[in-house]
């Protein structure tokens, strides 16, 4: 008897920059980070990942430089390391990647803090059309002061207020995508004599809220998924509440599966309280995997890759993520005992949870840089095929997650190793699919493994704005004041 195992969602976690979670690795022989501005480079990667049946490429994105370290407003340590700088807007590449592929999907990060909902609804709707429904939106509220300054603010909007804005933002885009064009508004080819679309089936949304005033209608017609597949990554209390309400996939980072399990349970429980099916929320763990024939070879590969890392770039990334400038401290400062409580608690957390750090004598600047230089603050799973596969299985079981976003140390080397060594083993263990559930299908169809499941489910808050065929106005419009 076989015990069917959960089939995992496997994504590649990438960024359209010379370096993502690997500052300095563009110097590694064969690394293609420097090709980040070439569409041919991304097409070739997308085709390779599609041949290996990855669900999606998940593109992270930021809107400013990491300029806190040795700052304020100093990019000198960031620029030589190419620490997420320069960085191109990933959305522009998606149509080309979709044209070169059939089934792989694309998650694209975009911020609710600096972008207008009307413009974002148009851009993602356009790409959903052009990709045949293979685009997802990774909803972020952003975290860099440098972005705030470049968008005309003195400093960032307060953290929970950013989430309050994001909730209203989502209401606006749901109304535009789901509730401003009736499903049958655009007339089929045989009925075009009556006009391209029915004017009675396109209406204003008249959204007037605390943060946005958007009369609508959407300037784009309904695309295959209407609302693109919704991804989210935020781990604060406000972030988890936001995920429970809106996200269809949540990206969580943690050093061990038992550490992220409470977040997984909390998100699923909050979703259930909101009337959603908690299993509709797919939880994806981030991980850097370095795999080789033996544990020793994998560790040697990791050590070699790490030797190309840029330590200043790693500290610049830390500065952007945390808001703290470690250059203000002495080189021999052990941050487990520093006065600044936020840094102290972060570093003590690492000291007690990062595997293999028990014996570490000191958590000084150098140790922090060494730790963050590959894979950022996410888990690093290093070992033979068997070691890595066992560890991933343990993650799935202990954390109750549904899949992984694999980051890279070198591009495409890390993915080549995963494809050639790891995936055959995962396939043998029944943990990954043989083929897309719906070849040529939408992002949502392939995540849920259900042909025809292109739209948000009825239990999702965006579904209250659906305007279905046969309805004179969408139901939400009759209940609105
Ligand atoms: C694993 C992970 C990946 C993230 N990727 C991005 C990103 O690409 N761009 C971005 O602006 N924010 C990113 N974030 C930040 C969050 O989406 C969120 O806006 C930020 O963490 C603040 O929310 P929080 O305090 O709830 O975590 C990421 C967060 C996590 C945990």
């Amino acid at each position: 008897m076989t015990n069917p195992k959960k089939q995992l969602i496997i994504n590649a976690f990438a960024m359209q920059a010379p370096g993502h979670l690997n500052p300095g690795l563009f110097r590694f022989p064969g690394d293609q980070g420097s090709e980040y501005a070439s569409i041919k480079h991304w097409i070739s990667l997308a085709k390779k990942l599609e041949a290996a049946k990855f669900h999606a490429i998940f593109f992270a994105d930021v809107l400013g430089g990491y300029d806190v370290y040795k700052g304020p407003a100093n990019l000198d340590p960031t620029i030589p390391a190419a620490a997420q700088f320069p960085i191109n807007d990933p959305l522009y590449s998606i149509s080309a990647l979709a044209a070169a592929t059939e089934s792989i999907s694309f998650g694209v990060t975009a911020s609710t803090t600096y972008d207008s909902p009307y413009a974002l609804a148009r851009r993602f709707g356009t790409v959903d059309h052009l990709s045949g429904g293979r685009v997802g939106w990774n909803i972020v509220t952003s975290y860099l002061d440098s972005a705030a300054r470049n968008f005309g603010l003195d400093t960032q909007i307060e953290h929970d207020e950013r989430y309050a804005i994001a909730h209203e933002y989502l209401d606006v885009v749901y109304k535009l995508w789901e509730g401003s064009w009736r499903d049958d508004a655009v007339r089929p080819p045989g009925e075009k004599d009556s006009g391209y679309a029915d004017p009675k089936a396109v209406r204003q949304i008249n959204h007037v809220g605390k943060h946005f005033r958007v009369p609508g209608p959407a300037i784009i017609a309904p695309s295959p998924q209407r609302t693109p597949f919704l991804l989210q990554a935020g781990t604060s209390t406000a972030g988890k509440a936001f995920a429970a309400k809106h996200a269809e996939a949540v990206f969580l980072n943690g050093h061990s599966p038992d550490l992220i399990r409470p977040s997984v349970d909390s998100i699923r429980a909050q979703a259930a309280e909101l009337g959603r099916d908690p299993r509709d929320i797919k939880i994806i763990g981030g991980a850097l995997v370095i795999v080789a024939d033996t544990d020793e070879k994998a560790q040697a590969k990791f050590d070699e890759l790490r030797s190309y890392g840029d330590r200043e770039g790693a500290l610049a990334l830390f500065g952007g993520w945390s808001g703290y400038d470690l250059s203000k401290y002495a080189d021999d400062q052990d941050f487990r005992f520093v006065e600044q409580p936020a840094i102290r608690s972060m570093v003590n957390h690492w000291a007690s949870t990062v595997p293999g750090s028990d014996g570490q004598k000191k958590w000084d600047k150098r140790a922090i840089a060494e730790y963050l230089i590959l894979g950022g603050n996410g888990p690093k799973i290093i070992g033979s095929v068997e070691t890595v596969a066992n560890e991933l299985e343990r993650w799935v079981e202990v954390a109750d997650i549904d899949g992984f976003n694999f980051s890279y140390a070198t591009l495409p080397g890390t993915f080549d190793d995963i494809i050639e060594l790891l995936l055959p083993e995962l396939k043998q263990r029944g943990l990954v699919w043989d083929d897309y559930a719906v070849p040529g299908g939408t992002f949502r169809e392939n995540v849920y493994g259900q042909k025809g499941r292109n739209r948000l489910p009825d239990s999702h808050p965006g579904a209250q704005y659906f305007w279905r065929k046969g309805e004179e106005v969408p139901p939400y419009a009759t209940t609105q004041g």
Side-chain angles (χ1 to χ4, degrees), residues 13-15 20-21 58-63 66 84 109-113 138-144 159-160 162-163 232-240 242 251-254 284-286 321 405:
F13 188 37
M15 187 176 246
H20 181 201
L21 298 172
F58 181 112
F59 286 110
D61 193 28
V62 289
L63 297 170
Y66 285 71
Q84 307 193 0
T109 300
S111 175
T112 52
T113 304
N138 177 35
I139 310 162
V140 297
T141 54
S142 302
Y143 54 83
L144 289 164
H159 177 275
D160 284 9
R162 296 203 299 271
Y163 274 109
Q232 196 264 1
T235 41
S236 60
T237 303
K240 280 186 281 209
F242 184 86
F251 180 23
L252 288 180
N253 251 350
I284 315 288
W321 289 327
N405 264 355

Side-chain angles (χ1 to χ4, degrees), residues 126-176:
T126 301
V127 176
D128 199 54
H129 275 298
L130 295 175
S131 66
R134 287 190 282 144
V135 71
W137 172 25
N138 177 35
I139 310 162
V140 297
T141 54
S142 302
Y143 54 83
L144 289 164
D145 261 337
S146 63
R149 291 195 303 274
N150 280 298
F151 282 87
L153 304 174
D154 291 332
T155 181
Q156 289 188 81
I157 298 166
E158 190 274 324
H159 177 275
D160 284 9
E161 178 64 6
R162 296 203 299 271
Y163 274 109
I165 294 169
H167 279 287
E168 187 185 332
Y169 196 111
L170 268 288
D171 270 347
V172 177
V173 293
Y174 294 146
K175 288 179 193 173
L176 291 167

Side-chain angles (χ1 to χ4, degrees), residues 181-185 191 455 466-472:
W181 288 66
R182 203 171 63 201
D183 288 346
D184 61 341
E191 294 171 24
R455 309 279 302 270
F466 281 5
W467 189 6
R468 296 185 167 94
K469 186 176 173 176
E471 293 169 345
E472 202 168 311

